Amino acid sequence: FFRRSGWGEGQLLEIHGNMQRWQCSLPCAESRRSSTPVWELPATQRFEVDQESMRAPTRKSLPTSAPNSAPNLAESAEPAPTAAEDMPGPSRPQTPGNITSSGVNAPTEPMGPRNHERCIHCGRLARPCILMFEDNAWIGDSVDGPGGPGHSQAESYRQWESAVREQLKNDRHKRLVIVEAGCGLRVPTVRRNSERLLRLTARHGTQLIRINPERPDNKKSQSSTISIRDSCLNALSRIDAAMKEAIACAKGHESRT
């Protein structure tokens, strides 16, 4: 959402990673040695999901043909997958034709393109480069950021925070407002960072606006927190309308004076 709105890579900190970036599920030694251990999926990439089971099948469905027209199966479909096809690694055994590794004839009906992303280095299943619970395979913190070689979102954020704190110290007229939207207690990383930054800059008049439909409170610093119990969209829309009204009133007052 922030990228689509025009925010630059130097203005973003995705603490738990990015769904558009993918990595090897191991990760493999080849990807660790590579200069591109993480890659981005094209913006047009879509995975097919079974709406009943909420699982992604190995292969996508073939597109429905137009009435009274026979599809060109040779052009529209990949060969039928074999039982060995989903085995990890580039050295998985190959079987001729439509015979599976168990020697049983596989169905000859054509299948659609692959629906599972694979590692560009070793061919194993790939995964989103996002941090999951008890995740020892995530490599997001040790690779270049989405901005390219040398880019680190964490370092960009540290530089930004340092510059803001310096400005607050040098200009007593400036105020910092932290807008925290939709951060709960299940994964409280962003919530804790907001409270940390509020604590470090409280003497400069910093305010935290915490938007959450269930837990908008901040018991550690109630006087410096504006708690809004609402959905993010509704609360931000109301804040935007109030800011526009305040700016219009200020301009009107200036024109009269």
Side-chain angles (χ1 to χ4, degrees), residues 122-142:
C122 71
R124 291 177 173 87
L125 285 176
R127 50 161 281 185
C129 188
I130 56 173
L131 180 63
M132 307 181 198
F133 292 105
E134 300 182 8
D135 190 352
N136 296 320
W138 184 59
I139 59 175
D141 273 346
S142 60

Side-chain angles (χ1 to χ4, degrees), residues 23 66 99 132 139 151 157 187-188 209 221 229 250-251:
Q23 65 167 83
I99 306 298
M132 307 181 198
I139 59 175
H151 174 235
Y157 174 78
V187 184
I209 300 176
S221 185
R229 190 180 298 274
K251 289 181 177 179

Side-chain angles (χ1 to χ4, degrees), residues 173-184:
H173 298 291
K174 289 189 175 181
R175 296 290 184 272
L176 172 63
V177 177
I178 306 167
V179 180
E180 179 195 282
C183 302

Side-chain angles (χ1 to χ4, degrees), residues 84-95:
E85 185 175 19
D86 288 327
M87 294 178 65
S91 59
R92 58 179 178 262
Q94 302 296 316
T95 53

Side-chain angles (χ1 to χ4, degrees), residues 201-220:
T201 59
R203 63 182 182 276
H204 302 298
T206 298
Q207 289 281 312
L208 167 63
I209 300 176
R210 173 164 282 169
I211 305 168
N212 192 289
E214 298 177 355
R215 300 296 298 273
D217 55 301
N218 180 16
K219 297 178 180 178
K220 297 178 181 178

